[in-house]
Amino acid sequence: MRNLKDLTYGIVGLGIMGGSIAKAIRENILCQSGSTGKIYVCNRSTSCLTQALNEGIADKAFTSNEYEKMLPECDFVYVCLYPHATIDFLEQNKKFFKSGAIVTDISGVKGIFEKSLPEILRPDVDFIIGHPMAGGEKEGYVNSTAKMFINHNYILCPLPENKAENLEIMRNFISEIGFTRITETTCDIHDYKIGFTSQLCHVIACSLVDSAKDEQITAFGGGSFEDLTRIAMINAPLWTELFISNKEKLVGHIENFENQINKFKNAIKNEDKDSLMKLMEESREKRIKMGSIRTVAKK
Amino acid sequence: MRNLKDLTYGIVGLGIMGGSIAKAIRENILCQSGSTGKIYVCNRSTSCLTQALNEGIADKAFTSNEYEKMLPECDFVYVCLYPHATIDFLEQNKKFFKSGAIVTDISGVKGIFEKSLPEILRPDVDFIIGHPMAGGEKEGYVNSTAKMFINHNYILCPLPENKAENLEIMRNFISEIGFTRITETTCDIHDYKIGFTSQLCHVIACSLVDSAKDEQITAFGGGSFEDLTRIAMINAPLWTELFISNKEKLVGHIENFENQINKFKNAIKNEDKDSLMKLMEESREKRIKMGSIRTVAKK
């Protein structure tokens, strides 16, 4: 099996995610003794490329006109672009991938990949569908960090055509860069569950901020409002794409949530103490069963 | 002016809040050189009383049948009970307070106090209405800590009948135990704003947990769901009381929030990218303006 420390990695898109992946590879994989591996990076704007070279994170940097130079050399390509940009990138650069390369991406919706992959990739290139469950409300390479993934979850959606050896390389890679829990499932289940844990939460956080009458409200904050709205500092173009790509599932989740909040509202309106107690006892018990989830400290 | 370090403090109710207040007084005020102050505590169940005595937090402990022994000795009484229990306590023990005592409480709704105070307190006892904006999802004296209030907000709702000197003592006290921002306002504004920053957030967190189909959902968590639902580990009897005591204002906030989430839902349903972008740009900008709010680390 190919050894992670000797692969040439290609990072396409050097924002907060691409940057963090590059830094985590440098710090956890290429630092191993005898490593012959390399990190190649490319990005549309070039200031982060210079920075990554200066910091010793990248061995070579390419602009977005130079994919044909970079891709043929990469054993493992990590596409860190928006979802539709990722599909466009795969389609437009199909012929440049190295034969036998592993290709993966970071996109938060997966169904669209399962549908398009057969048409847009060569059979000798192994695209492994997955989703690193990490990120931050701050964007760009300047906010990337090698520690981004420690104690986080990763979702893999293996396809029948993925090679067993490549899946094993992928799992090792994910663990090496810091993730502690890998869940394997289908694209459909991924999109359903992420629609709930991530997309619905972002819709709620934004709606809550939008419904604030008063920006000075924070003198009255005790922690709850802050916790619920941290993620409202949202990247609008990215999340517009994610929400619309997962429309049916997300709208279903919003409707379930609306039904629940409506139960609360009615119980409060009617001063129905028994129903309120029951609703809150259920949520307390359910939330405790869900466990502590992640133990990672906030950045 | 009376010196904080020489007062006798009475803490009524030794749960997470009462315990933390006692510990913060011990650590920040009574440790000052030449202090002659004391901390007296009382609680319905007695195991926490023993613990507070053993730990050197309390100088004397009383059961809930012994208010008539404790209250006449206290210069500063902090009532750390549920809202209606606080009003009952004030009413039933009216005659035991020391003349000139400062009395305050921790309750998260304030309008009910403004209404009932004239009837339930003697004119020679100065009740200062306020709300320490801190707490935790874990209950009881065992979870109390002297650090609870560091970097948190305090809301004061002074009444015309409060003595200026006592308000000054109260402000000093609040700062000494760790709070960094004191906002002074009316009970009505307090209840309106807390209905938004605290109560609405708890309703949302519980509704979100209640709408989860699956307790194993947390393998799909990247931080958002965890942040939005930490406060769903809720104390049901307390929050039932808070929600119903602030019914009109809270229902208004829920309805505003429902209108906002409905805008999101419709924009997603209709694949209306422009509206989605606009909604999210607004929430991002608004949330950034609201600032970092609190810098305190999570417990």
Short mmCIF file of all heavy atoms in Angstrom, two decimals, chain B residues 233-280:
data_model
loop_
_atom_site.label_atom_id
_atom_site.label_comp_id
_atom_site.label_asym_id
_atom_site.label_seq_id
_atom_site.Cartn_x
_atom_site.Cartn_y
_atom_site.Cartn_z
N MET B 233 -30.29 21.23 27.86
CA MET B 233 -30.24 20.42 29.09
C MET B 233 -30.81 21.29 30.21
O MET B 233 -30.10 21.79 31.07
CB MET B 233 -28.79 20.00 29.38
CG MET B 233 -28.34 18.93 28.41
SD MET B 233 -26.66 18.38 28.67
CE MET B 233 -25.74 19.43 27.55
N ILE B 234 -32.09 21.47 30.13
CA ILE B 234 -32.76 22.56 30.82
C ILE B 234 -33.40 22.10 32.14
O ILE B 234 -33.76 20.93 32.28
CB ILE B 234 -33.83 23.15 29.84
CG1 ILE B 234 -34.23 24.55 30.20
CG2 ILE B 234 -35.03 22.22 29.73
CD1 ILE B 234 -34.98 25.26 29.07
N ASN B 235 -33.51 23.02 33.07
CA ASN B 235 -34.21 22.77 34.32
C ASN B 235 -35.70 23.07 34.07
O ASN B 235 -36.13 24.23 34.10
CB ASN B 235 -33.60 23.71 35.37
CG ASN B 235 -34.31 23.64 36.70
OD1 ASN B 235 -35.48 23.32 36.79
ND2 ASN B 235 -33.56 23.96 37.76
N ALA B 236 -36.48 22.03 33.82
CA ALA B 236 -37.87 22.21 33.34
C ALA B 236 -38.76 23.01 34.30
O ALA B 236 -39.47 23.92 33.86
CB ALA B 236 -38.48 20.85 33.00
N PRO B 237 -38.76 22.73 35.61
CA PRO B 237 -39.66 23.49 36.49
C PRO B 237 -39.32 24.98 36.51
O PRO B 237 -40.22 25.84 36.45
CB PRO B 237 -39.43 22.86 37.87
CG PRO B 237 -38.82 21.52 37.61
CD PRO B 237 -38.06 21.66 36.34
N LEU B 238 -38.02 25.30 36.56
CA LEU B 238 -37.62 26.71 36.59
C LEU B 238 -38.05 27.44 35.32
O LEU B 238 -38.64 28.52 35.37
CB LEU B 238 -36.10 26.82 36.77
CG LEU B 238 -35.52 28.24 36.63
CD1 LEU B 238 -36.09 29.17 37.71
CD2 LEU B 238 -33.99 28.22 36.72
N TRP B 239 -37.77 26.83 34.18
CA TRP B 239 -38.04 27.52 32.92
C TRP B 239 -39.53 27.58 32.59
O TRP B 239 -40.00 28.50 31.93
CB TRP B 239 -37.20 26.93 31.79
CG TRP B 239 -35.77 27.37 31.94
CD1 TRP B 239 -34.81 26.73 32.68
CD2 TRP B 239 -35.17 28.56 31.44
NE1 TRP B 239 -33.63 27.45 32.63
CE2 TRP B 239 -33.82 28.59 31.88
CE3 TRP B 239 -35.62 29.61 30.65
CZ2 TRP B 239 -32.95 29.62 31.56
CZ3 TRP B 239 -34.74 30.64 30.33
CH2 TRP B 239 -33.42 30.63 30.79
N THR B 240 -40.27 26.59 33.06
CA THR B 240 -41.73 26.67 32.90
C THR B 240 -42.23 27.94 33.61
O THR B 240 -43.03 28.70 33.06
CB THR B 240 -42.39 25.41 33.52
OG1 THR B 240 -41.97 24.27 32.77
CG2 THR B 240 -43.91 25.49 33.48
N GLU B 241 -41.71 28.18 34.80
CA GLU B 241 -42.10 29.37 35.56
C GLU B 241 -41.66 30.65 34.85
O GLU B 241 -42.43 31.62 34.75
CB GLU B 241 -41.42 29.28 36.94
CG GLU B 241 -42.27 29.86 38.02
CD GLU B 241 -41.55 29.82 39.37
OE1 GLU B 241 -41.15 28.74 39.83
OE2 GLU B 241 -41.42 30.91 39.97
N LEU B 242 -40.43 30.67 34.36
CA LEU B 242 -39.92 31.87 33.69
C LEU B 242 -40.74 32.17 32.42
O LEU B 242 -41.12 33.32 32.18
CB LEU B 242 -38.44 31.70 33.32
CG LEU B 242 -37.46 31.66 34.49
CD1 LEU B 242 -36.06 31.24 34.02
CD2 LEU B 242 -37.36 33.01 35.22
N PHE B 243 -40.98 31.14 31.61
CA PHE B 243 -41.70 31.35 30.34
C PHE B 243 -43.11 31.90 30.61
O PHE B 243 -43.55 32.84 29.95
CB PHE B 243 -41.83 30.04 29.56
CG PHE B 243 -40.53 29.51 28.99
CD1 PHE B 243 -40.42 28.19 28.56
CD2 PHE B 243 -39.41 30.32 28.88
CE1 PHE B 243 -39.24 27.69 28.03
CE2 PHE B 243 -38.21 29.83 28.36
CZ PHE B 243 -38.14 28.50 27.94
N ILE B 244 -43.79 31.29 31.57
CA ILE B 244 -45.18 31.71 31.80
C ILE B 244 -45.24 33.09 32.46
O ILE B 244 -46.11 33.90 32.15
CB ILE B 244 -45.94 30.62 32.60
CG1 ILE B 244 -46.14 29.39 31.69
CG2 ILE B 244 -47.29 31.14 33.11
CD1 ILE B 244 -46.84 28.21 32.32
N SER B 245 -44.26 33.40 33.31
CA SER B 245 -44.23 34.73 33.94
C SER B 245 -43.97 35.85 32.93
O SER B 245 -44.23 37.00 33.21
CB SER B 245 -43.12 34.80 35.00
OG SER B 245 -43.30 33.82 35.96
N ASN B 246 -43.42 35.51 31.78
CA ASN B 246 -43.07 36.53 30.78
C ASN B 246 -43.79 36.26 29.46
O ASN B 246 -43.31 36.60 28.38
CB ASN B 246 -41.55 36.53 30.57
CG ASN B 246 -41.03 37.84 29.99
OD1 ASN B 246 -41.64 38.89 30.18
ND2 ASN B 246 -39.91 37.78 29.28
N LYS B 247 -44.97 35.66 29.60
CA LYS B 247 -45.73 35.13 28.47
C LYS B 247 -45.89 36.07 27.27
O LYS B 247 -45.48 35.73 26.16
CB LYS B 247 -47.11 34.74 29.03
CG LYS B 247 -48.04 34.13 28.07
CD LYS B 247 -49.31 33.66 28.78
CE LYS B 247 -50.49 34.54 28.44
NZ LYS B 247 -51.77 33.90 28.81
N GLU B 248 -46.45 37.25 27.48
CA GLU B 248 -46.75 38.13 26.33
C GLU B 248 -45.48 38.47 25.55
O GLU B 248 -45.44 38.37 24.33
CB GLU B 248 -47.43 39.44 26.76
CG GLU B 248 -48.92 39.32 27.02
CD GLU B 248 -49.21 38.76 28.40
OE1 GLU B 248 -48.28 38.79 29.25
OE2 GLU B 248 -50.33 38.26 28.63
N LYS B 249 -44.44 38.89 26.28
CA LYS B 249 -43.22 39.31 25.59
C LYS B 249 -42.57 38.14 24.86
O LYS B 249 -42.12 38.26 23.72
CB LYS B 249 -42.24 39.94 26.58
CG LYS B 249 -42.74 41.27 27.15
CD LYS B 249 -41.70 41.89 28.07
CE LYS B 249 -42.09 43.29 28.52
NZ LYS B 249 -43.23 43.34 29.46
N LEU B 250 -42.53 36.99 25.52
CA LEU B 250 -41.89 35.83 24.92
C LEU B 250 -42.63 35.36 23.67
O LEU B 250 -42.00 35.07 22.63
CB LEU B 250 -41.78 34.70 25.95
CG LEU B 250 -41.20 33.38 25.45
CD1 LEU B 250 -39.82 33.58 24.80
CD2 LEU B 250 -41.08 32.37 26.61
N VAL B 251 -43.95 35.29 23.73
CA VAL B 251 -44.72 34.85 22.56
C VAL B 251 -44.49 35.81 21.39
O VAL B 251 -44.34 35.38 20.24
CB VAL B 251 -46.22 34.71 22.91
CG1 VAL B 251 -47.07 34.54 21.65
CG2 VAL B 251 -46.43 33.50 23.84
N GLY B 252 -44.38 37.11 21.68
CA GLY B 252 -44.07 38.09 20.62
C GLY B 252 -42.72 37.79 19.96
O GLY B 252 -42.59 37.82 18.74
N HIS B 253 -41.72 37.48 20.79
CA HIS B 253 -40.40 37.15 20.23
C HIS B 253 -40.45 35.87 19.40
O HIS B 253 -39.81 35.78 18.35
CB HIS B 253 -39.38 36.96 21.36
CG HIS B 253 -39.01 38.24 22.07
ND1 HIS B 253 -38.58 39.36 21.40
CD2 HIS B 253 -38.98 38.56 23.39
CE1 HIS B 253 -38.31 40.33 22.29
NE2 HIS B 253 -38.55 39.87 23.50
N ILE B 254 -41.18 34.87 19.89
CA ILE B 254 -41.28 33.61 19.12
C ILE B 254 -41.92 33.89 17.76
O ILE B 254 -41.46 33.40 16.73
CB ILE B 254 -42.09 32.54 19.90
CG1 ILE B 254 -41.37 32.13 21.19
CG2 ILE B 254 -42.32 31.29 19.02
CD1 ILE B 254 -42.15 31.15 22.08
N GLU B 255 -42.96 34.73 17.76
CA GLU B 255 -43.64 35.02 16.48
C GLU B 255 -42.73 35.77 15.49
O GLU B 255 -42.72 35.46 14.30
CB GLU B 255 -44.95 35.77 16.74
CG GLU B 255 -46.01 34.79 17.25
CD GLU B 255 -47.27 35.44 17.79
OE1 GLU B 255 -47.32 36.69 17.90
OE2 GLU B 255 -48.21 34.68 18.13
N ASN B 256 -41.95 36.72 15.99
CA ASN B 256 -40.99 37.40 15.11
C ASN B 256 -39.99 36.42 14.53
O ASN B 256 -39.64 36.47 13.35
CB ASN B 256 -40.18 38.46 15.89
CG ASN B 256 -40.99 39.71 16.13
OD1 ASN B 256 -41.93 39.99 15.40
ND2 ASN B 256 -40.62 40.45 17.16
N PHE B 257 -39.51 35.53 15.39
CA PHE B 257 -38.55 34.53 14.93
C PHE B 257 -39.18 33.60 13.88
O PHE B 257 -38.57 33.31 12.84
CB PHE B 257 -38.03 33.72 16.13
CG PHE B 257 -37.21 32.53 15.74
CD1 PHE B 257 -35.90 32.69 15.30
CD2 PHE B 257 -37.74 31.26 15.81
CE1 PHE B 257 -35.15 31.59 14.92
CE2 PHE B 257 -36.99 30.14 15.44
CZ PHE B 257 -35.69 30.32 15.00
N GLU B 258 -40.42 33.19 14.14
CA GLU B 258 -41.12 32.32 13.17
C GLU B 258 -41.26 33.00 11.81
O GLU B 258 -41.12 32.36 10.77
CB GLU B 258 -42.51 31.93 13.71
CG GLU B 258 -42.45 30.91 14.83
CD GLU B 258 -43.83 30.58 15.41
OE1 GLU B 258 -44.69 31.49 15.49
OE2 GLU B 258 -44.05 29.42 15.80
N ASN B 259 -41.54 34.31 11.83
CA ASN B 259 -41.64 35.04 10.56
C ASN B 259 -40.33 35.01 9.80
O ASN B 259 -40.30 34.87 8.58
CB ASN B 259 -42.04 36.50 10.80
CG ASN B 259 -43.48 36.60 11.27
OD1 ASN B 259 -44.26 35.68 11.06
ND2 ASN B 259 -43.82 37.71 11.91
N GLN B 260 -39.21 35.16 10.55
CA GLN B 260 -37.90 35.17 9.89
C GLN B 260 -37.56 33.81 9.30
O GLN B 260 -37.06 33.71 8.18
CB GLN B 260 -36.80 35.57 10.88
CG GLN B 260 -36.74 37.07 11.16
CD GLN B 260 -36.39 37.89 9.92
OE1 GLN B 260 -35.74 37.42 9.00
NE2 GLN B 260 -36.86 39.12 9.90
N ILE B 261 -37.82 32.75 10.07
CA ILE B 261 -37.44 31.41 9.57
C ILE B 261 -38.34 31.05 8.38
O ILE B 261 -37.91 30.35 7.45
CB ILE B 261 -37.46 30.36 10.70
CG1 ILE B 261 -36.52 29.20 10.33
CG2 ILE B 261 -38.83 29.84 11.02
CD1 ILE B 261 -36.21 28.27 11.47
N ASN B 262 -39.55 31.59 8.39
CA ASN B 262 -40.45 31.36 7.28
C ASN B 262 -39.94 32.02 5.99
O ASN B 262 -40.07 31.46 4.90
CB ASN B 262 -41.83 31.89 7.66
CG ASN B 262 -42.92 31.17 6.91
OD1 ASN B 262 -42.87 29.96 6.75
ND2 ASN B 262 -43.89 31.91 6.42
N LYS B 263 -39.34 33.20 6.14
CA LYS B 263 -38.73 33.86 4.96
C LYS B 263 -37.63 32.96 4.37
O LYS B 263 -37.52 32.82 3.16
CB LYS B 263 -38.11 35.20 5.37
CG LYS B 263 -39.11 36.31 5.58
CD LYS B 263 -38.37 37.65 5.78
CE LYS B 263 -39.25 38.64 6.52
NZ LYS B 263 -38.49 39.77 7.07
N PHE B 264 -36.80 32.41 5.26
CA PHE B 264 -35.74 31.50 4.80
C PHE B 264 -36.34 30.29 4.07
O PHE B 264 -35.90 29.92 3.00
CB PHE B 264 -34.92 30.98 6.00
CG PHE B 264 -33.64 31.72 6.21
CD1 PHE B 264 -33.56 32.74 7.13
CD2 PHE B 264 -32.51 31.37 5.49
CE1 PHE B 264 -32.38 33.42 7.34
CE2 PHE B 264 -31.32 32.03 5.69
CZ PHE B 264 -31.24 33.07 6.62
N LYS B 265 -37.36 29.69 4.71
CA LYS B 265 -37.94 28.48 4.14
C LYS B 265 -38.48 28.75 2.75
O LYS B 265 -38.23 27.98 1.81
CB LYS B 265 -39.06 27.96 5.06
CG LYS B 265 -39.59 26.60 4.66
CD LYS B 265 -40.65 26.08 5.60
CE LYS B 265 -41.91 26.94 5.54
NZ LYS B 265 -42.97 26.42 6.44
N ASN B 266 -39.19 29.85 2.60
CA ASN B 266 -39.76 30.16 1.30
C ASN B 266 -38.69 30.44 0.26
O ASN B 266 -38.80 30.01 -0.89
CB ASN B 266 -40.74 31.33 1.40
CG ASN B 266 -41.99 30.92 2.15
OD1 ASN B 266 -42.37 29.75 2.12
ND2 ASN B 266 -42.62 31.86 2.84
N ALA B 267 -37.64 31.14 0.67
CA ALA B 267 -36.56 31.43 -0.29
C ALA B 267 -35.88 30.13 -0.73
O ALA B 267 -35.53 29.97 -1.90
CB ALA B 267 -35.54 32.39 0.34
N ILE B 268 -35.71 29.19 0.20
CA ILE B 268 -35.08 27.90 -0.16
C ILE B 268 -36.02 27.12 -1.08
O ILE B 268 -35.60 26.63 -2.14
CB ILE B 268 -34.73 27.08 1.11
CG1 ILE B 268 -33.65 27.81 1.93
CG2 ILE B 268 -34.26 25.68 0.75
CD1 ILE B 268 -33.46 27.29 3.34
N LYS B 269 -37.30 27.04 -0.69
CA LYS B 269 -38.30 26.33 -1.52
C LYS B 269 -38.31 26.84 -2.95
O LYS B 269 -38.39 26.08 -3.90
CB LYS B 269 -39.70 26.55 -0.93
CG LYS B 269 -40.19 25.43 -0.03
CD LYS B 269 -41.67 25.68 0.30
CE LYS B 269 -42.22 24.63 1.22
NZ LYS B 269 -43.53 25.02 1.78
N ASN B 270 -38.27 28.18 -3.08
CA ASN B 270 -38.36 28.81 -4.40
C ASN B 270 -37.01 28.96 -5.10
O ASN B 270 -36.92 29.60 -6.13
CB ASN B 270 -39.01 30.20 -4.28
CG ASN B 270 -40.38 30.12 -3.63
OD1 ASN B 270 -41.08 29.13 -3.81
ND2 ASN B 270 -40.75 31.16 -2.89
N GLU B 271 -35.97 28.39 -4.47
CA GLU B 271 -34.60 28.54 -5.00
C GLU B 271 -34.29 30.00 -5.31
O GLU B 271 -33.66 30.32 -6.32
CB GLU B 271 -34.39 27.65 -6.24
CG GLU B 271 -34.70 26.19 -5.93
CD GLU B 271 -34.16 25.20 -6.97
OE1 GLU B 271 -33.40 25.65 -7.85
OE2 GLU B 271 -34.49 24.01 -6.86
N ASP B 272 -34.74 30.86 -4.43
CA ASP B 272 -34.58 32.31 -4.62
C ASP B 272 -33.23 32.75 -4.04
O ASP B 272 -33.11 33.18 -2.90
CB ASP B 272 -35.76 33.00 -3.90
CG ASP B 272 -35.69 34.51 -3.98
OD1 ASP B 272 -34.67 35.05 -4.47
OD2 ASP B 272 -36.65 35.16 -3.52
N LYS B 273 -32.20 32.62 -4.89
CA LYS B 273 -30.83 32.90 -4.44
C LYS B 273 -30.64 34.32 -3.92
O LYS B 273 -29.94 34.55 -2.94
CB LYS B 273 -29.84 32.65 -5.57
CG LYS B 273 -29.68 31.18 -5.89
CD LYS B 273 -28.61 30.93 -6.95
CE LYS B 273 -28.71 29.46 -7.36
NZ LYS B 273 -27.77 29.10 -8.42
N ASP B 274 -31.27 35.28 -4.63
CA ASP B 274 -31.06 36.68 -4.23
C ASP B 274 -31.58 36.94 -2.82
O ASP B 274 -30.91 37.59 -2.01
CB ASP B 274 -31.77 37.62 -5.22
CG ASP B 274 -31.11 37.57 -6.59
OD1 ASP B 274 -29.96 37.08 -6.65
OD2 ASP B 274 -31.74 37.98 -7.57
N SER B 275 -32.78 36.43 -2.52
CA SER B 275 -33.33 36.64 -1.18
C SER B 275 -32.48 35.94 -0.12
O SER B 275 -32.24 36.48 0.96
CB SER B 275 -34.76 36.11 -1.08
OG SER B 275 -35.58 36.82 -1.96
N LEU B 276 -32.03 34.73 -0.42
CA LEU B 276 -31.19 34.01 0.54
C LEU B 276 -29.90 34.76 0.83
O LEU B 276 -29.49 34.93 1.99
CB LEU B 276 -30.84 32.61 0.02
CG LEU B 276 -31.87 31.51 0.29
CD1 LEU B 276 -31.45 30.22 -0.40
CD2 LEU B 276 -32.01 31.28 1.80
N MET B 277 -29.27 35.23 -0.25
CA MET B 277 -28.03 36.00 -0.09
C MET B 277 -28.28 37.21 0.79
O MET B 277 -27.51 37.52 1.69
CB MET B 277 -27.52 36.47 -1.45
CG MET B 277 -26.92 35.40 -2.32
SD MET B 277 -25.26 34.94 -1.77
CE MET B 277 -24.35 36.39 -2.30
N LYS B 278 -29.40 37.89 0.53
CA LYS B 278 -29.71 39.11 1.25
C LYS B 278 -29.96 38.80 2.73
O LYS B 278 -29.43 39.49 3.61
CB LYS B 278 -30.95 39.78 0.61
CG LYS B 278 -31.10 41.24 0.98
CD LYS B 278 -32.06 41.95 0.04
CE LYS B 278 -32.66 43.17 0.73
NZ LYS B 278 -33.75 42.87 1.66
N LEU B 279 -30.74 37.77 3.00
CA LEU B 279 -31.02 37.40 4.39
C LEU B 279 -29.72 37.08 5.14
O LEU B 279 -29.52 37.50 6.29
CB LEU B 279 -31.94 36.16 4.44
CG LEU B 279 -33.42 36.40 4.16
CD1 LEU B 279 -34.15 35.07 3.93
CD2 LEU B 279 -34.06 37.15 5.33
N MET B 280 -28.84 36.34 4.50
CA MET B 280 -27.61 35.93 5.19
C MET B 280 -26.60 37.06 5.31
O MET B 280 -25.90 37.15 6.30
CB MET B 280 -27.01 34.72 4.51
CG MET B 280 -27.80 33.46 4.85
SD MET B 280 -26.97 31.95 4.34
CE MET B 280 -27.68 31.75 2.72
#
